[in-house]
Amino acid sequence: MLEIPRSTRQAADFSALATHCSNARPIPISSFIERQNRLAQTLHSLGASAYIAEPGANAAYYANLSSTTWHLSERPLLLLITPSEESGVITGKVAILTPSFEATRARLLPIPSNSEIAYPEWPEDANPYKIAVSAISSLQGSKDAPRKIFIDGAARNFIVDGLQEAAGQRVHVASAPVEIKRLRERKTEEELEIMKCVNEVTLLAIRAVRKQLYIGIKESEAKTLIRSALEAAGLISLDSIVLFGPDAALPHGSGTDRELQKKDYVLIDCGGELHGYHSDVTRTFALEDSDIPQGHLDIWGLVFDAQSAAIAAAYNGTVTADVDKAARLTIELEGFGQHFTHRLGHGIGLEVHESPYLRGGSDDIILTGHAFSDEPGVYIEGQVGVRLEDCFYIDQDGSAVFLTAGVGGQAGSPWEP
């Protein structure tokens, strides 16, 4: 193949990707209120007085309050949700504990609620956690101390310690249990529609970038291309790994900037965010004029078979460790078990990596609405690394469906990513 000088290559045009997710819509206000009410009902059933979270994924899920919206500092700003009962109906009440000097800014946050939001303030010379505990009692119309408080498991230790000290030993302060964690873990149809779109367009971006690659291009140049493609698709919070040949034998690379050789695979692992929800797709592929050794082609086929075995094993009611085992056994039977060095996959949604995880030793149960990455790999240091990754969800009929199914799903071959 005649090599085109770099100086005469045309700039890549990825503008066509912009239309793929143009009709995707963010989560509506009504859904946030439904989430708050489901949380309140769960709290009530567990005998808890409140759920508390710092700005982050869980606060974003319930109240559109992410760590981007409000950056964390040593001064706590906390989301408080308490159950309220009226005529036998349980709904959620929302409060935002805010530093006094930030109160006006806190009130400008776009937090959905079906009732008036309370903003308990704490001046700099006060204990914010005592004010939080007092606010919980006030929201529940009681002068008594709360019975039980659940805290987002991602909250910083000093927040947890401060709340426990302020609440006293008679109040049970603990990380939110599985009944609460599953509220966010199990995705709704409107969440899955966003997740399908963002994962589909990420795969389309990889395919578009492949057409721009050539023998001799550097990893850094290819990484610039994939980030440009993802930006053109309208994604934010981009993440990308680009590795050629033996560099891919280290799953996350080693910081070199290898030039692509004819015998090298290209590994691109990338994703981005759309309306708060993330994608994560990996393809290991060849170019049309690559000359991939047969042994490396065989490894690609083995990884593909492992990915297929995993999704076939995933359905409503399966133990997560069994899905990891299905992929791992496929690779072990061909003598490459020692080269599959990481867990099979992770949950995905408002975070790229979230619970539950597909790994050995886990006893988590897969349920409808759960979403995971399926990313087996074989890594032989100094020689080759192959990883294939598509995310999937558990449909209402209990079966697993790739989030990339709308654009073809799994790779077809090393030449058909």
Side-chain angles (χ1 to χ4, degrees):
M1 180 178 178
L2 181 63
E3 187 71 26
I4 301 174
R6 296 184 187 185
S7 60
T8 61
R9 293 182 187 276
Q10 294 183 345
D13 181 7
F14 300 120
S15 59
L17 295 170
T19 61
H20 190 77
C21 292
S22 59
N23 292 325
R25 294 291 176 262
I27 301 298
I29 290 175
S30 59
S31 294
F32 284 104
I33 293 170
E34 288 175 11
R35 293 171 180 180
Q36 293 165 10
N37 290 339
R38 286 201 309 271
L39 173 60
Q41 291 154 15
T42 305
L43 291 169
H44 183 265
S45 69
L46 296 172
S49 298
Y51 172 83
I52 298 178
E54 292 193 87
N58 282 308
Y61 180 77
Y62 291 113
N64 194 34
L65 179 57
S66 70
S67 56
T68 301
T69 306
W70 191 285
H71 292 286
L72 300 181
S73 77
E74 74 281 5
R75 296 183 176 100
L77 178 130
L78 301 177
L79 169 69
L80 315 176
I81 296 181
T82 60
S84 174
E85 184 173 4
E86 185 174 343
S87 301
V89 178
I90 306 298
T91 58
K93 281 190 174 180
V94 177
I96 302 295
L97 178 79
T98 174
S100 294
F101 78 97
E102 296 274 35
T104 298
R105 186 163 74 97
R107 285 180 169 83
L108 295 175
L109 291 169
I111 296 175
S113 176
N114 210 23
S115 59
E116 185 177 358
I117 299 173
Y119 292 89
E121 301 178 20
W122 62 275
E124 295 273 69
D125 60 349
N127 183 324
Y129 310 107
K130 288 184 178 180
I131 293 174
V133 172
S134 176
I136 292 169
S137 296
S138 177
L139 288 167
Q140 295 200 307
S142 172
K143 295 181 180 180
D144 298 327
R147 296 164 292 173
K148 187 187 300 181
I149 297 173
F150 288 133
I151 303 178
D152 176 7
R156 293 171 294 176
N157 287 342
F158 75 87
I159 300 287
V160 179
D161 293 343
L163 286 165
Q164 180 64 79
E165 182 178 356
Q169 294 305 311
R170 293 186 178 182
V171 180
H172 181 62
V173 177
S175 292
V178 65
E179 292 90 343
I180 290 177
K181 290 195 292 184
R182 279 179 178 167
L183 296 176
R184 178 163 78 88
E185 287 178 356
R186 302 178 69 180
K187 276 63 180 180
T188 62
E189 286 298 321
E190 62 189 2
E191 290 178 284
L192 289 171
E193 287 304 308
I194 298 172
M195 292 174 66
K196 289 175 186 176
C197 199
V198 69
N199 278 273
E200 288 170 0
V201 81
T202 299
L203 178 51
L204 294 177
I206 292 174
R207 292 173 181 166
V209 165
R210 179 178 178 269
K211 296 176 181 179
Q212 302 295 323
L213 302 182
Y214 54 89
I215 303 302
I217 193 172
K218 291 184 176 182
E219 290 170 341
S220 59
E221 294 172 314
K223 186 169 184 176
T224 297
L225 286 171
I226 191 62
R227 294 184 71 86
S228 296
L230 295 171
E231 286 177 351
L235 306 190
I236 61 173
S237 303
L238 307 181
D239 192 18
S240 59
I241 298 171
V242 177
L243 303 169
F244 297 161
D247 281 5
L250 298 178
H252 291 158
S254 60
T256 66
D257 194 13
R258 181 180 174 89
E259 289 190 355
L260 184 64
Q261 307 298 309
K262 290 178 72 70
K263 67 180 184 301
D264 289 347
Y265 276 132
V266 175
L267 185 153
I268 298 180
D269 181 343
C270 63
E273 178 187 331
L274 176 70
H275 301 319
Y277 290 84
H278 291 268
S279 61
D280 199 0
V281 179
T282 304
R283 287 294 183 267
T284 302
F285 58 85
L287 304 188
E288 295 303 325
D289 52 345
S290 298
D291 184 17
I292 306 298
Q294 184 59 49
H296 295 180
L297 295 175
D298 293 342
I299 289 172
W300 192 100
L302 178 60
V303 173
F304 176 87
D305 289 345
Q307 188 189 42
S308 302
I311 196 168
Y315 50 85
N316 183 56
T318 312
V319 176
T320 49
D322 290 344
V323 182
D324 179 279
K325 183 178 180 180
R328 204 164 300 278
L329 183 60
T330 302
I331 292 173
E332 288 174 350
L333 289 174
E334 295 300 319
F336 289 90
Q338 71 192 78
H339 301 294
F340 182 8
T341 53
H342 54 72
R343 70 191 175 207
L344 174 66
H346 52 80
I348 188 168
L350 287 171
E351 296 174 285
V352 183
H353 291 191
E354 62 182 43
S355 65
Y357 296 88
L358 301 177
R359 62 175 185 84
S362 170
D363 58 1
D364 289 330
I365 303 297
I366 294 175
L367 299 171
T368 56
H370 274 151
F372 303 93
S373 70
D374 177 1
E375 48 179 314
V378 169
Y379 311 94
I380 304 175
E381 291 191 19
Q383 298 182 42
V384 65
V386 175
R387 179 165 67 255
L388 297 172
E389 176 184 17
D390 294 87
C391 294
F392 68 88
Y393 67 98
I394 304 300
D395 205 353
Q396 290 303 307
D397 66 1
S399 63
V401 181
F402 281 125
L403 288 165
T404 49
V407 292
Q410 283 177 288
S413 77
W415 289 273
E416 300 172 286

